[in-house]
Amino acid sequence: MTSDDIRTEIRNLVLNHDAEGLALRLPKLTDAERGAVAAELPSLLAELRESPLPAATASWTTDDQVSGSSEVLMMVGAATIPGPAGVATWLMKRDLNPRWSGAPSPHRLVKAVSGRPVAWRADLAARLARRIRRPDDRIVPLALELLRDGEATPPDHEPLVTAWLSAVGVAKDPLTPHLLPKIFEAAGAGRALVNETLTPKPSRWLALTARTLPREQIITGCVRRFLLGGDAQDLRFFVRLHTLVAPAPEESAGRLRDYLRLLPTAPGPVAELAWQQVRQARLDPADVAEAIEAMTFRQEAKLAVKGLTWLDRDLGQHPERVADHVTALTNAFTHASHEVRDRAVTLTLKHADHLTDPAPILEAAELLPPASARQLFERFIEGWTSDFTSGRRPEATVPGPFPTSGLESGPPEEIGWIDVEAWLAAVTREAHTNPDSLTETLARRFGEHLRPVLYDAPTWQSPRDWCTALARELVNPGEDPGPPASRPPRQRPSYRRTFSEEQRADAGHAFPGLSGDLGQALYDGMVNLAATAFELFPGLRTIVPLHEMPGYVQEDILRTTDVQTDLYDPKARPAPAPWNRLPHLRECARPHAFLLSRLDELLRAAKAGALPPVLLATPTRADGHLDPETLLNRLAVCAGSGCEPLPLDVEQALLRLPPNPAPDLAERAKGIGSAAAAVVARWFERGAPPPPEVELTWTLDLGSRVVPYDDQVLDQRGIANVSWRPVEPTGLAHLDALLTTPEMRPFRRVSRPFWPGMMPHHRELAAAHLAIGLIDRFDPPDIAIDDLRDLTLAEGASGPATALVLAYFLTMEGDEAVPPLLQLAAKGALPAAETGRLLGLFGRRTRYEAGPALPSLELAAKQGAHAEVWTILRHFLAVFLPRQGERAQRPQTDAVVLATGIATWAGARGEIPEVAAHAKKRGSTSLTRACRSLHQFLTRES
């Protein structure tokens, strides 16, 4: 046959995807014919790239003729390309190895190259083997088959060993003598054999290794692999192989130092295996001490207990060696397991007579729970008593006077509540005494660059925005064009738009999964459809009045249509909306709405040129407190100027007054003669409203519905609903709203730092507003540890709401919540019992774990609040301990151990029924032993 005939024949076999025909034809080619076909390969590959794949053969793994013909192309290249290096490069081409496609048949490829010399095939096999990177590489089956076919020596390549172990096994595999001994060094070999088991009988690779390799080689290889390190999964096969071989003491004798090195840090199964080998060997005293010390150093309680058991047995035979084991005992004192710590203390006391230097023991005993440490101190320190000396509890913070700042500080840079209040007071004062200087200062600090950002927003959510608007109004009166919704509609330039904050909030609440360009396009389409319907069907304007739709929807529909078209119902056309930058108050927390309404009132007064000469509500103390004498003086100033104070300014001033005014204040207020003074006089006569009686009710979120929480079901989807009983109305609308439970969870709470300063003598009220939605089905509201710190500076009664906020931050922030706890304790306002009960309910009913709060409670006790912390723990244990049928968890045991120590410090007495129930149970679990210890202490005789 001519060269053209050969090329045509091979080309037709490739185009017909005839792999079997190629496997029979390619080995018979002569060298000249191979060269002719190899020269044709580039043009054939280019032709296949340009040819579309027939629809009948298309699939999700192939998208062109090359990938669809990859196997036959690999066969032709392997059989015709002259050198092994070129063939290896051809077989690894990206075009011939499409992603997601299966591996080619290694048997047909091996058959295709069977006409090549043996040495050539062995060279190709070695080159392909060195290119293996992962066990699932497509080239693995071909490389292994070529190695087996040519009986070639595999190259020294670790991924090849892992790939061979992961591949399908072959009976009497010629690669076994070469690759099996390398499993002890190859990275990834242990992970590939992780599923090998010993029971009911050794699986394939365990049996093959034990049967094929010499025992000495297996033992040496396993120990060497253990010393190389790795996690438990990497070493699981070698642990089982070592167990299967079961070295005799004489076989392990030469490796005892290696086994000792494995004890302290190797994975648990390896350490236990090493302990078994060391335990049955004859060791000198130094090696015994080293081994026991390594065992007690480990985190696993099982291994540490074995080490202590060995220690006890060794000291029973050689009590004079107790000094050699002091490090092991002190290691055990710091162990996380209560069982290990208790056993170490027991052994220390048992062999105390032979201890000549107890100093290391006493130093380590400081790390033990107080109940355990007391036994050691009483044994080794003559005349020691268990009197607890706590740290000095910090004194209650005394707030200083309210700062009097000028116009150079405060907004727009600083927007803390003190900065804002001081700035507002300065602006109001300067507007009457020095208006020209005020205008110059505000113009410098509130420049023109703030106008676009400020006036393009439909509502102002932040106090910063309202302060900026007030400053701009005083600099350039009347420059505010009003909210975008109140301006004349303009022709809309494009269907694409940007959602306002109000629209994003509404859409986010109604359609939480709708966002991005898809949501924007869908919204635009709905607006266009509605506008077209209003234009084509005028009667629709009466059925669905446009003025009843949200303001931003009205604006978008009007912008979409011709400006001359009136889409409003003529009979119900709304009057032009008055100027209003307030958000929907129903979405705002009540304190936030109160604050924004007060700022709105102040801005309206500036627009009308009716600012009062002084603000009544400016505090006189840094915690927000307002002195009644100062308030009367300010009322007199307003009356003398003939200007009536602003209503919300009066209400805020009343909220900052102390709860028990002097008897003569009411008469003095009446003597001022203004309407605002009359309101203040009635407040003095009546007194401040009582603190709210907050109630916490628990419900369970089942996804589709919310039901009352069933305490018999342990479910962590609980919701804490905060409400309080209504108080007698004051007759002041905004103040009454603040004293009332909101009907729905508010989403706008950006002014949280202002709240404690707005109601400085009503801590529980501020806490109640902070606690709404804190434990809910949604993510927690925006709340920070600074909110708790500000809350502790307020005065007034504390109750469930304060306890809920404190318990939340104890679980979430840990030690950061300790200073606020100490402040409340110093003021005698810590709701300890309720805080403990809520911490227990957190651990049982919510996703917040109570365990992280325990170290913080211990820290608070050491800093002087041990009596209060004991009250917290007492009520915490009553709720948190496992009930009948529930399994004990480690945090529950930790809580009992901590409570035992705190009870010792506080000198507590009195049985806790839930602790007593666990103490009387049979058995010796960690929780049962801890409960017995606490119960014995609480019920001790005087």
Side-chain angles (χ1 to χ4, degrees), residues 111-337:
K111 190 173 182 179
V113 300
S114 60
R116 299 296 187 105
V118 174
W120 187 97
R121 299 202 305 270
D123 190 1
L124 174 61
R127 291 177 183 272
L128 290 178
R130 291 192 188 95
R131 292 185 177 229
I132 294 174
R133 294 295 177 267
R134 299 185 308 272
D136 58 348
D137 283 351
R138 294 181 78 244
I139 207 67
V140 166
L142 176 59
L144 294 178
E145 193 64 26
L146 284 170
L147 288 171
R148 293 182 180 117
D149 178 69
E151 297 186 0
T153 301
D156 189 10
H157 187 55
E158 290 187 1
L160 171 63
V161 180
T162 306
W164 174 67
L165 293 171
S166 304
V168 178
V170 175
K172 298 181 179 180
D173 191 347
L175 298 179
T176 299
H178 302 286
L179 298 181
L180 189 60
K182 297 180 180 180
I183 63 174
F184 301 105
E185 290 83 20
R191 191 62 62 105
L193 300 173
V194 68
N195 294 321
E196 294 289 305
T197 59
L198 283 173
T199 56
K201 64 178 182 179
S203 51
R204 174 195 169 198
W205 287 106
L206 283 171
L208 178 64
T209 307
R211 184 175 62 249
T212 304
L213 300 181
R215 286 177 58 87
E216 180 67 19
Q217 185 177 1
I218 292 175
I219 298 171
T220 302
C222 286
V223 174
R224 186 185 304 121
R225 187 56 185 250
F226 297 151
L227 293 173
L228 287 175
D231 59 24
Q233 285 190 324
D234 290 330
L235 301 178
R236 182 181 300 168
F237 169 80
F238 302 101
V239 170
R240 291 173 176 170
L241 180 61
H242 190 282
T243 303
L244 178 62
V245 175
E250 55 273 15
E251 292 177 302
S252 302
R255 304 180 178 86
L256 285 179
R257 295 305 308 170
D258 293 333
Y259 287 121
L260 285 171
R261 289 170 56 194
L262 294 172
L263 284 177
T265 58
V270 178
E272 187 164 0
L273 174 152
W275 174 79
Q276 293 171 354
Q277 297 301 315
V278 171
R279 187 69 186 88
Q280 65 183 357
R282 290 187 175 182
L283 302 176
D284 57 40
D287 288 339
V288 172
E290 179 183 350
I292 295 175
E293 179 181 339
M295 296 291 282
T296 56
F297 176 76
R298 299 196 59 86
Q299 296 180 354
E300 299 90 344
K302 178 181 177 182
L303 295 177
V305 168
K306 288 182 177 180
L308 291 176
T309 303
W310 189 2
L311 182 151
D312 188 26
R313 191 174 302 146
D314 186 60
L315 291 182
Q317 299 173 358
H318 308 282
E320 69 281 359
R321 294 181 183 174
V322 65
D324 298 337
H325 297 301
V326 167
T327 304
L329 290 170
T330 56
N331 284 345
F333 288 172
T334 61
H335 203 279
S337 169

Side-chain angles (χ1 to χ4, degrees), residues 359-562:
I361 295 292
L362 294 175
E363 181 180 356
E366 297 286 349
L367 304 174
L368 286 167
S372 300
R374 184 179 66 249
Q375 303 176 57
L376 297 175
F377 292 143
E378 291 174 347
R379 175 64 180 81
F380 293 109
I381 301 178
E382 185 176 356
W384 183 87
T385 61
S386 59
D387 295 337
F388 168 69
T389 303
S390 68
R392 181 183 175 87
R393 186 173 64 190
E395 299 292 335
T397 301
V398 178
F402 193 79
T404 302
S405 60
L407 298 172
E408 296 296 339
S409 59
E413 287 82 11
E414 301 174 7
I415 57 167
W417 79 269
I418 292 180
D419 302 311
V420 170
E421 288 284 0
W423 184 84
L424 291 174
V427 167
T428 306
R429 181 179 64 251
E430 294 293 321
H432 279 262
T433 60
N434 198 353
D436 294 337
S437 175
L438 171 66
T439 302
E440 179 183 350
T441 302
L442 294 181
R444 186 177 68 255
R445 299 192 69 235
F446 296 84
E448 294 284 333
H449 65 283
L450 298 175
R451 291 181 55 186
V453 178
L454 182 67
Y455 295 136
D456 284 349
T459 60
W460 294 331
Q461 303 287 342
S462 168
R464 183 203 299 266
D465 297 335
W466 289 94
C467 292
T468 304
L470 176 61
R472 291 300 309 170
E473 178 64 29
L474 293 173
V475 170
N476 188 15
E479 76 173 16
D480 182 3
S486 65
R487 304 174 196 172
R490 302 184 299 272
Q491 186 67 34
R492 190 171 178 181
S494 171
Y495 82 96
R496 293 208 173 267
R497 64 186 303 279
T498 301
F499 286 134
S500 68
E501 184 177 351
E502 180 183 9
Q503 291 165 274
R504 288 185 182 278
D506 289 348
H509 299 160
F511 308 104
L514 188 62
S515 62
D517 292 341
L518 175 61
Q520 196 169 38
L522 180 58
Y523 174 84
D524 291 335
M526 294 170 63
V527 168
N528 291 329
L529 179 62
T532 304
F534 276 121
E535 286 189 270
L536 296 179
F537 306 102
L540 189 62
R541 305 171 194 175
T542 303
I543 299 174
V544 186
L546 182 63
H547 70 273
E548 293 184 0
M549 297 183 181
Y552 62 84
V553 177
Q554 297 182 45
E555 179 188 359
D556 289 339
I557 291 178
L558 291 174
R559 287 180 178 178
T560 304
T561 59
D562 185 4

Side-chain angles (χ1 to χ4, degrees), residues 577-599:
W579 183 93
N580 183 22
R581 292 284 190 172
L582 288 171
H584 293 304
L585 296 184
R586 60 182 175 83
E587 298 175 356
C588 299
R590 295 290 172 86
H592 184 58
F594 185 94
L595 174 64
L596 296 189
S597 298
R598 179 176 168 230
L599 294 172

Side-chain angles (χ1 to χ4, degrees), residues 813-838:
E813 299 291 342
D815 292 353
E816 293 294 323
V818 172
L821 185 153
L822 295 174
Q823 276 294 309
L824 290 172
K827 291 183 175 183
L830 177 64
E834 188 65 21
T835 301
R837 193 180 73 86
L838 286 172

Side-chain angles (χ1 to χ4, degrees), residues 727-740:
V727 299
E728 183 180 352
T730 63
L732 305 172
H734 289 83
L735 193 53
D736 287 337
L738 192 63
L739 298 173
T740 307

